[in-house]
Amino acid sequence: MNWTLRRGGVGDADAIARLNHDSFRGYLTFATAGWEPPPLEDEAGWMFERLGHPDVWCRVAEADGEHAGHVAFMPATLAHSPSDEPGLAHF
């Protein structure tokens, strides 16, 4: 298996959103009753906007040319649950 690590960008939004959405579904086992993950289409649009922002740092891991995972940091002001606390970032 060949692994690569590269900078993530807007072209990765759909793959990242899909992985996030699938992962968030796992929260249903312990989340508050009635909680649902964001719809995949909403997550993809949100991710596209964030990955195009100059203050967002993202790396994508690929295995044999396929998306295998990612990591990203962004100012808390851009997060799903925004905060204006100075210096706070979301991972």
Side-chain angles (χ1 to χ4, degrees), residues 5-9 50-51 53-60 70-75 78 90-91:
L5 188 63
R6 62 174 176 76
R7 182 177 180 185
R50 295 314 179 271
L51 290 172
H53 194 282
D55 292 336
V56 173
W57 179 92
C58 179
R59 293 295 179 265
V60 171
H70 59 273
V71 62
F73 294 92
M74 68 184 69
L78 299 175
H90 281 223
F91 174 69

Side-chain angles (χ1 to χ4, degrees), residues 10-50:
V10 295
D12 298 299
D14 286 339
I16 291 173
R18 199 170 306 109
L19 184 58
N20 284 351
H21 181 76
D22 292 347
S23 298
F24 287 151
R25 300 232 20 103
Y27 290 13
L28 293 171
T29 61
F30 60 84
T32 304
W35 180 86
E36 288 288 328
L40 179 57
E41 298 78 21
D42 293 353
E43 184 69 12
W46 184 87
M47 190 57 63
F48 184 86
E49 290 175 13
R50 295 314 179 271

